Amino acid sequence: MSEVTIFGLGLMGSALARAYQRAGVSITVWNRTIKKAEALEAENVVVAPTISDAIVASPVLIICVDDPKSVLTLFGHSQVGRLLDGRTIIQLSTSLPKQVREDQKWLAARNADFLYGAIHCGPQYLGTKDGNILISGPSDSYRQVENLLGHQGGKIAHLGDDIAAVSVLDLAWLSIRFGEFLGMLHASNICQAEGIDLQKFISMFPDNERIQHHVGTIRDGTYDQRTATLSVWQASLELLKRQAMDVGIDAGFPNHIGTLFDKAIKAGYGEEHVMALFKVLKGDGGTTY
Ligand code: NAP
């Protein structure tokens, strides 16, 4: 038996797995496309061939896939759901407050504990002092996995018993990020159109790592980086639109930036850095998007 099973071996799931491996925590992994597990298997990590095998392998199950409904997507089949009895599920896939509340009820009916978390750092920071994950859900459940989660970084925080709190705060945080993206893209466009070197603009913000990184990516054209892809950001943007519909608030902001993301995906930039948005914005010649 392992201490924890990780479902999903994308950029983040793999980083979670590797952080546990470095810490000496025994893990089992599962990925929909099993080929992605080969590298870990070669390092003696147990790869579960089926979801059922992955569930029974550990008392704690961490999900990190690019699907907000992944609790049901992975565990919804009745044969599989029965195996969850007594286990703790930690959902680290970005999801919606409404979905997270439903997941909690669904899992409680199967006698499983549930925590929801948002990863607030790049994959390279997991397992370091800057590894940052916010968790919400029942305190008793959190205490049982606190040490296990602690291996993922120095900034793991429990924000209280309300299961949806972190999902709400994460969406609010994402809104700020998307606003920053738009500002940085337009600022870069202004500078380049007027013949001002982007380095001069970046130099105005010596203490702002985000501007240095993102505008620096545009300056250097280094869109091929192993970090959250444009597609992964777009999936989060879709959640902002859906949450606005769920609670009846204005969706103008996510809809507006969403058209730019759609264009970039259509142009084939989905697997690139989110600042590849600049490539579709740049050639727009002043049209609105
Ligand atoms: P990624 O590199 O694009 O990998 C996506 C993963 O999700 C793959 O393992 C994929 O499986 C799996 N997947 C997608 N839909 C699935 C489904 N319906 N059923 C089963 N597996 C499915 O994405 P990522 O960057 O690891 O992101 C994973 C989650 O972490 C997302 O919710 C994202 O919002 C969150 N997150 C990521 C970052 C970041 O910096 N990357 C930061 C914070 C939060 P296949 O291999 O079979 O396609």
Side-chain angles (χ1 to χ4, degrees), residues 7-14 30-34 36 51 63-68 70 73-74 92-95 118-124 170 173 227-229 231-233 235-236 239 271:
F7 293 83
L9 294 175
L11 276 178
M12 261 312 171
S14 300
W30 176 88
N31 195 61
R32 180 178 60 180
T33 309
I34 200 146
K36 276 199 197 157
I51 291 179
I63 308 174
C64 188
V65 305
D66 196 14
D67 173 2
S70 45
T73 308
L74 299 184
L92 297 182
S93 318
T94 308
S95 191
I119 302 172
H120 272 211
C121 63
Q124 69 274 28
D170 188 39
W173 177 87
T227 181
T229 60
S231 291
V232 164
W233 279 106
S236 302
L239 297 184
E271 294 309 302

Side-chain angles (χ1 to χ4, degrees), residues 177-190 201 215 257 289:
R177 296 301 310 271
F178 284 112
E180 287 173 343
F181 291 159
L182 263 190
M184 290 189 279
L185 289 163
H186 192 63
S188 302
N189 230 354
I190 291 173
F201 174 64
V215 181
I257 190 168
Y289 50 83

Side-chain angles (χ1 to χ4, degrees), residues 12 19 34 45 54 56 58 68 75 116 170-171 237 243 249 254 277 283 285:
M12 261 312 171
I34 200 146
V45 170
V56 297
S58 312
F75 303 150
Y116 179 79
D170 188 39
L171 292 181
L237 188 60
Q243 190 271 344
I249 59 172
L277 290 171

